[in-house]
Amino acid sequence: MTVSVQYAGPHKRGDIKKVVLAYSGGLDTSVILKWLQTTYGCEVVTFTADLGQGEELAPARKKAELLGIKPENIFIDDVREEFVRDFVFPMFRANALYEGQYLLGTSIARPLIAKRQIEIARDVGADAVCHGATGKGNDQVRFELAYYALKPDIKVIAPWREWELTSRTKLLEFAEKHQIPIAKDKRGEAPFSVDANLLHSSSEGKILEDPWQEADEMVYQRTISPEAAPDKATYITIDFEKGDAVAIDGVRLSPAALLTRLNELGKANGIGRLDLVENRFVGMKSRGIYETPGGTILHAAHRGIESITLDRGAAHLKDELMPRYAELIYYGFWYSPEREMLQALIDRSQENVTGTVRLKLYKGHAVVVGRKSPQSLYSMQHVTFEEDQGAYDQRDAEGFIKLNALRLRLRAVGQGGPKT
Amino acid sequence: MTVSVQYAGPHKRGDIKKVVLAYSGGLDTSVILKWLQTTYGCEVVTFTADLGQGEELAPARKKAELLGIKPENIFIDDVREEFVRDFVFPMFRANALYEGQYLLGTSIARPLIAKRQIEIARDVGADAVCHGATGKGNDQVRFELAYYALKPDIKVIAPWREWELTSRTKLLEFAEKHQIPIAKDKRGEAPFSVDANLLHSSSEGKILEDPWQEADEMVYQRTISPEAAPDKATYITIDFEKGDAVAIDGVRLSPAALLTRLNELGKANGIGRLDLVENRFVGMKSRGIYETPGGTILHAAHRGIESITLDRGAAHLKDELMPRYAELIYYGFWYSPEREMLQALIDRSQENVTGTVRLKLYKGHAVVVGRKSPQSLYSMQHVTFEEDQGAYDQRDAEGFIKLNALRLRLRAVGQGGPKT
Amino acid sequence: MTVSVQYAGPHKRGDIKKVVLAYSGGLDTSVILKWLQTTYGCEVVTFTADLGQGEELAPARKKAELLGIKPENIFIDDVREEFVRDFVFPMFRANALYEGQYLLGTSIARPLIAKRQIEIARDVGADAVCHGATGKGNDQVRFELAYYALKPDIKVIAPWREWELTSRTKLLEFAEKHQIPIAKDKRGEAPFSVDANLLHSSSEGKILEDPWQEADEMVYQRTISPEAAPDKATYITIDFEKGDAVAIDGVRLSPAALLTRLNELGKANGIGRLDLVENRFVGMKSRGIYETPGGTILHAAHRGIESITLDRGAAHLKDELMPRYAELIYYGFWYSPEREMLQALIDRSQENVTGTVRLKLYKGHAVVVGRKSPQSLYSMQHVTFEEDQGAYDQRDAEGFIKLNALRLRLRAVGQGGPKT
Amino acid sequence: MTVSVQYAGPHKRGDIKKVVLAYSGGLDTSVILKWLQTTYGCEVVTFTADLGQGEELAPARKKAELLGIKPENIFIDDVREEFVRDFVFPMFRANALYEGQYLLGTSIARPLIAKRQIEIARDVGADAVCHGATGKGNDQVRFELAYYALKPDIKVIAPWREWELTSRTKLLEFAEKHQIPIAKDKRGEAPFSVDANLLHSSSEGKILEDPWQEADEMVYQRTISPEAAPDKATYITIDFEKGDAVAIDGVRLSPAALLTRLNELGKANGIGRLDLVENRFVGMKSRGIYETPGGTILHAAHRGIESITLDRGAAHLKDELMPRYAELIYYGFWYSPEREMLQALIDRSQENVTGTVRLKLYKGHAVVVGRKSPQSLYSMQHVTFEEDQGAYDQRDAEGFIKLNALRLRLRAVGQGGPKT
């Protein structure tokens, strides 16, 4: 009748037997790898995911081997299709924007990485997982809430909250001491911090910390500037089925291939840049530069197809719940009952969100200029300015207005009406 | 203890003594004027408002006189400052967007016109008001809900729902028969219908009715195209005080002057176009082309200043309630208790929304590139990647995450956790 | 690409071929039956539903035959199981209360009647449906929205909005003229109006219209008074599976049998009375006396089982959406996309709402005094005041509080904090 | 442009100069007092509030003196009027119920205590505050969020999260060692834990921890049982002005006097008991027994007066936001911008919530049986079943329904309608 959750508390050497590390192959997670070995004396299993971040994965395997990881403990997966199909697309069905603007590119990738770490932990019999997110950001929360939701007795190691390597200098010293190769361009301090996957790139920190200073053009890595984009608009069509994009210009593509193609189109037209001060779940404001080229087009297109296929009641309910849904994803509650409930509601609304949207891409914009659907709810017959032919009786509007007004009139009589 | 509201029902000749007509001076409302006189045999009072629609008002007076209206029955008001100060600005404090996109330019003007009609009706002792909106659209609802909320016993005449002049031909015949002057360009059928005020222009109907057809460039009257806009970005600053814009580039301006200046800047940079299929309150979908040059800049800027001055809890609550607030305005419930309640909530949040936003205007975009405020909640000290100096203890994050995770862990233990 | 809806407008003799009437067998719907025949000259099909209103149906058949309805045009269905299983139970999963108090007993029955009328209309080839609700209430809206949602081209006849029989006297004259038998007790004016089904009875109108006057004991027909109820409490258990009640005191019962049993228990203990002034969808306030004996017990029990099986995030989301869901049902939008979406969300939350609730029934109360579940999320180990044994580290609370407080502290520093 | 918040982190001896302790005079807070002195070597200031918990305050002063607190460091305040006027009444305007049932009696008292501690800290120049809440409950959060919101640099000491006195035995040993007098009835283990103030008493823990076991009658301290209550109903009237109760049976009373009187009436009639499993903010479920005699009557009465004075749009908006508002108070966010915003919305709605409610109190119920108001929106003229006299045209309902149905019909045509 009762349930039990044992907290591991702060871990001690010997507490941890085997840990699954989210491993990028870069300097930071290599240091973590070594630090786990030396601090906890535990076996380390690495997990490297291809989320479309645009880096080769082969070096990650080589580097893990170099750091003494046994081949059977090295996991490298291409999860791009799963990422787009099971995470990005469901989220885009909701038109999710955090704080009115952010397409949640980083947030939506974390639960997938965490889920794979837990799956691997189960497979290899690991008792712990480890991530490389800092103690100030949202990602630690997103990783760990997913870990705990999926495996409540898992031990979690967050080195950045534990260790003494709190400065770049100390980190480099540790790397040198443990013979971790350091790429030349990593010796110096990076001018800002980057996260990337198939959906977006984000940049933050250091030179971006003053929100009054415009971000330098060199910060943008994923898109050309609107100024550099072609002087002539590009037109495309996107086909949707049940709320998900399935084809571009009539060519059917897998989810990841479709998003990849949209990214190319967006990049070429300078689309998807965002300079935002946002509110982190841990309580502070931060400034980020986001590039979501394909996602920005997809978002506009999805609203476009919904505009003719979604009933008003459905659309307004979705719009009212969207901020909550986006907040849940941003905060890291992908694997929560309330996100699942909202997803059930959203998915229910998408059954007839099928049809084609035509977009104009031009110097930073993705604008819907046409939409059609076999399940359209748009009725030219009703909306026309031409003389009515029985489709709509204008006199009905009088009763409609009078009954809508009744409570307002009673209020004016009984309580004096609004103050103007 | 009880209240009474007498419904006028369908009016008969003799029922109406004096009617206040929302009069533009154009052909349609001139026909209405004459039709009121001939149908109801009542005295007609005309009200013409300068809402910044960009038309001279003098001809309206002349035309009204020509149609036999007594000078003391002709009311012509410049309400631009009131419009921006008491209607547009309060709405922009909410970041209101109908269906995620529409800045509500038409919706927000109707309550002001209705309010002035009722004020005039009280002043001149009129028992009825009349508007020129059709029976298919939202405007009839917006006008009439406002009328009834402000004066519950008012009689409302909506000619388009009553008369027989249901085609252009019949209307022109009526005009000729009653010697109403017809401008040359009004003889033919207009290719689409336009509404304009200081906030926006909207175009809809006729050639715009097919939502798959891109709107022709000639439809746009208020903005140049992004393609025609300068190749070089324009940078501006906007100062805010308690949520309202007060200055551009450091120059303090009245509300209407400020919006006028933003309109010029927006127009010149091709900013503020929207091609939308939306859901009307009367139950059908319609397609509109909107141009809101200044408002689009203002919306972006307001979100920008809020991003550093608004607490997260306040911001998220506002975002969740915004769709409802926008819906109320779109549907015509400006003068409703629930809109007033939401306004009280929104206004309460704006007390520290003070500071300066810097924007880049370029070929259709208005993008925030900098924000600063004496009441900023953005703390570089907290967000910095540099080593902590006491401002934030990263170890606090562990407890934060663990307690947030507790219910998810208990669920995994007791109910098996999420399906992945 | 476009859709078409033809409005029938006001119907004329000859417009209607065959109409399916919601027929109770009582005086009013018998008058309607005859009025339909004489006014429209159309064939009438009667539909009488056993919704558990506590009246025999055999007389309805006899009376319909007497009024000239052909046997194949008389439909009498026992829909009690469908009513509880597909309408009442889904609604109770949501803990739906309109305006915080009303269990929606009338509202939830209307869509089922409407659905059956439309099914019959399809089966017999009828082009119209007819109901006996007045033009002032909610039921007309509930019937007609369901009709239109299910068969958009159906013709709807609402006699109370059309005919001249607007007083009791005229109605009785019509009945006498057409030899409609009038039960003795129907000759006089009923002191109030009643609706009943397996979920509830409602009484309103006439002697109940003054909201300052306490309702007389004789108004209550479905429950004995708390004063008359036993001086000793009755204890029962209710078992739930996936959010629905399945057994009382360990005895498994069908949905309708279970609700019937709860009604007996409620009635005997004076449970489920409500004296309410509510807001109708048509814009006025009205006063109703409701008796929902079994439903009141069920509502309390369902909250009880949810209290230990529903996650907090799920529970709070449900609570926030409940008023909207209840409003939709009250207004008549059962067959709307947004109700279906909310239902999908609610049903998703009920997967583990399984277990047993123990209730005390006593003089008007149904109070939960115990709850247990194999899927309980209640952890005695966590909640205990005893010394911790690893289940919960109290020090985690410090970090939890500090990060929750961070934005409040930053606000106090940057903006001076709250006014106290 | 930036702000600064210094975190105190874990405090060390010498860190704290002077601390304001929320002091009840009981054993636990006396131990805390001594522990503060011995652990931190700091000056202790005691604050004892009369919140209507029903204990004399004089002994608290004596005991504080006995423990060596200087007279000028002993603060004893009667805050009952402030408590009801500025905390309880604003909350009741919202009809706040946590998780559909709990009247938030403990939650609403914490911010007031915290506020007074901070005020005293400012007055006496203290740098720290201390409370006696455990690390598992909600109260620690409520105290500390209020502390931080009001004085962001305050140091907070939560002994139960810090010290080694984690069992009753250790606590008693410490008390004996430091010559803290122990009341005889405190030697043994209390069978459950109690919190009380003018609004309610709560009991939880120990013998109440099994949610399947019915709470024993001896747990209830504030109400007699419904069984023991009079066999005859008591009728009362409550007058409201702008949403707040001002008089009982026509006798005007101050806020605290009024709540005291309602408590007597509730107690005598067995009203206000609640046995609840609820979700704590810290992530676990807990079971509480609540007694809120006067509050339960007040809640019913307030809904009663709103039912005739609040517009539907206002009422439904309030109902939708209520769960969020209640959650904020339960979680401890009284001093947050979002609670203040919601309060502004709620207060705006109460301007005409004026009038009189008549209630029947009987064996555990408080039921509204009558309501009247000079600002009533209830119109007998509209609601009447009698023949209409111009107040309402039933034919208006046809247009109202048709336009509400239009989108549902278009959906049925375009997308096949709902699945039944």
Side-chain angles (χ1 to χ4, degrees), chain C residues 364-380:
Chain C
H365 313 256
V367 188
V368 173
V369 297
R371 33 335 231 168
K372 65 181 176 184
S373 166
Q375 274 111 56
S376 177
L377 299 175
Y378 181 91
S379 164
M380 289 218 271

Side-chain angles (χ1 to χ4, degrees), chain D residues 340-375:
Chain D
E340 296 164 7
M341 288 160 66
L342 286 169
Q343 195 71 55
L345 176 145
I346 291 158
D347 291 354
R348 185 76 170 77
S349 75
Q350 301 292 295
E351 288 170 12
N352 293 293
V353 179
T354 294
T356 303
V357 173
R358 192 156 171 267
L359 297 113
K360 175 185 174 187
L361 314 180
Y362 177 68
K363 283 190 176 286
H365 313 256
V367 188
V368 172
V369 296
R371 38 326 234 172
K372 64 180 176 184
S373 167
Q375 275 111 54

Side-chain angles (χ1 to χ4, degrees), chain A residues 63 72 100 109 119 125 186 217 231 233 255 273 295 308 324 339 344:
Chain A
K63 208 156 172 192
E72 67 267 28
E119 286 169 352
K186 298 286 176 182
E217 181 59 31
D231 288 330
R273 295 179 166 195
I308 56 165
R324 177 74 66 93
R339 203 280 308 170

Side-chain angles (χ1 to χ4, degrees), chain C residues 14-29:
Chain C
D15 280 357
I16 310 289
K17 304 282 174 283
K18 199 189 279 194
V19 60
V20 180
L21 167 66
Y23 183 63
S24 72
L27 175 61
D28 288 16
T29 50

Side-chain angles (χ1 to χ4, degrees), chain B residues 55-362:
Chain B
E55 285 170 12
E56 284 180 60
L57 303 184
R61 176 181 301 278
K62 223 171 113 188
K63 208 155 171 192
E65 284 172 356
L66 197 77
L67 292 164
I69 309 302
K70 288 178 279 183
E72 67 267 28
N73 278 348
I74 300 176
F75 289 78
I76 296 187
D77 292 351
D78 180 349
V79 295
R80 286 177 296 172
E81 288 296 346
E82 182 181 6
F83 176 49
V84 181
R85 185 187 64 233
D86 295 344
F87 293 80
V88 173
F89 275 7
M91 180 174 79
F92 272 75
R93 284 176 216 141
N95 303 320
L97 292 176
Y98 182 64
E99 301 193 339
Q101 302 192 71
Y102 171 40
L103 283 161
L104 294 160
T106 296
S107 323
I108 193 62
R110 300 316 188 192
L112 170 51
I113 297 170
K115 186 194 71 146
R116 288 291 297 127
Q117 282 183 272
I118 294 297
E119 286 167 353
I120 292 167
R122 286 192 211 276
D123 289 348
V124 303
D127 55 341
V129 287
C130 176
H131 64 76
T134 78
K136 285 191 163 181
N138 296 301
D139 284 334
Q140 57 176 341
V141 192
R142 296 168 187 151
F143 278 121
E144 298 179 30
L145 291 184
Y147 296 150
Y148 287 132
L150 295 169
K151 190 162 163 50
D153 60 348
I154 194 73
K155 291 169 189 155
V156 175
I157 303 172
W160 288 97
R161 296 200 306 255
E162 295 185 27
W163 67 19
E164 300 301 315
L165 311 179
T166 48
S167 71
R168 197 77 201 157
T169 315
K170 291 179 193 164
L171 195 87
L172 291 171
E173 281 170 15
F174 183 95
E176 275 174 21
K177 185 178 153 198
H178 291 88
Q179 294 166 298
I180 298 168
I182 305 170
K184 257 190 197 145
D185 62 339
K186 297 286 175 183
R187 292 233 154 246
E189 190 80 67
F192 51 88
S193 158
V194 174
D195 175 66
N197 60 47
L198 196 55
L199 181 54
H200 97 332
S201 298
S202 72
S203 306
E204 56 179 15
K206 309 256 171 63
I207 64 163
L208 296 171
E209 282 176 14
D210 181 351
W212 179 245
Q213 291 303 318
E214 185 172 3
D216 194 275
E217 181 59 32
M218 69 101 170
V219 173
Y220 297 95
Q221 308 159 45
R222 186 83 169 249
T223 52
I224 63 168
S225 74
E227 283 87 343
D231 288 330
K232 204 167 163 305
T234 304
Y235 283 85
I236 62 167
T237 63
I238 303 180
D239 294 340
F240 284 87
E241 284 177 13
K242 296 184 183 298
D244 294 337
V246 296
I248 297 176
D249 289 334
V251 181
R252 221 170 164 90
L253 296 167
S254 75
L258 188 139
L259 185 53
T260 303
R261 177 70 190 125
L262 287 181
N263 279 335
E264 294 162 3
L265 287 160
K267 173 181 187 168
N269 288 288
I271 290 168
R273 295 179 166 197
L274 175 65
D275 174 343
L276 185 70
V277 174
E278 81 206 39
N279 293 289
R280 289 192 187 153
F281 187 29
V282 292
M284 67 190 66
K285 291 181 181 289
S286 72
R287 195 257 198 106
I289 300 294
Y290 300 109
E291 294 167 85
T292 321
T296 300
I297 301 172
L298 187 59
H299 182 85
H302 187 260
R303 276 218 171 261
I305 191 63
E306 281 195 342
S307 77
I308 58 165
T309 56
L310 208 58
D311 166 83
R312 185 185 71 203
H316 289 201
L317 179 58
K318 275 190 71 199
D319 278 351
E320 289 187 52
L321 292 174
M322 182 276 280
R324 178 74 66 93
Y325 176 88
E327 184 186 81
L328 286 170
I329 293 178
Y330 185 87
Y331 285 6
F333 288 93
W334 180 264
Y335 290 117
S336 71
E338 62 270 32
R339 203 280 309 171
E340 295 165 7
M341 288 162 65
L342 286 169
Q343 196 71 55
L345 176 145
I346 290 158
D347 290 353
R348 185 74 171 77
S349 75
Q350 301 292 296
E351 288 171 12
N352 294 292
V353 179
T354 295
T356 303
V357 174
R358 191 157 172 268
L359 296 114
K360 175 186 173 186
L361 314 180
Y362 176 68

Side-chain angles (χ1 to χ4, degrees), chain A residues 210-240:
Chain A
D210 181 350
W212 180 243
Q213 290 302 317
E214 184 172 4
D216 195 274
E217 181 59 31
M218 69 101 171
V219 173
Y220 297 94
Q221 309 158 45
R222 186 81 169 251
T223 50
I224 63 169
S225 74
E227 283 86 344
D231 288 330
K232 201 166 164 306
T234 304
Y235 283 85
I236 62 167
T237 64
I238 302 181
D239 295 340
F240 284 86

Side-chain angles (χ1 to χ4, degrees), chain A residues 190-226:
Chain A
F192 52 88
S193 161
V194 174
D195 175 65
N197 59 46
L198 196 55
L199 181 55
H200 96 331
S201 297
S202 72
S203 305
E204 56 177 17
K206 310 256 171 61
I207 63 163
L208 297 171
E209 281 176 13
D210 181 350
W212 180 243
Q213 290 302 317
E214 184 172 4
D216 195 274
E217 181 59 31
M218 69 101 171
V219 173
Y220 297 94
Q221 309 158 45
R222 186 81 169 251
T223 50
I224 63 169
S225 74

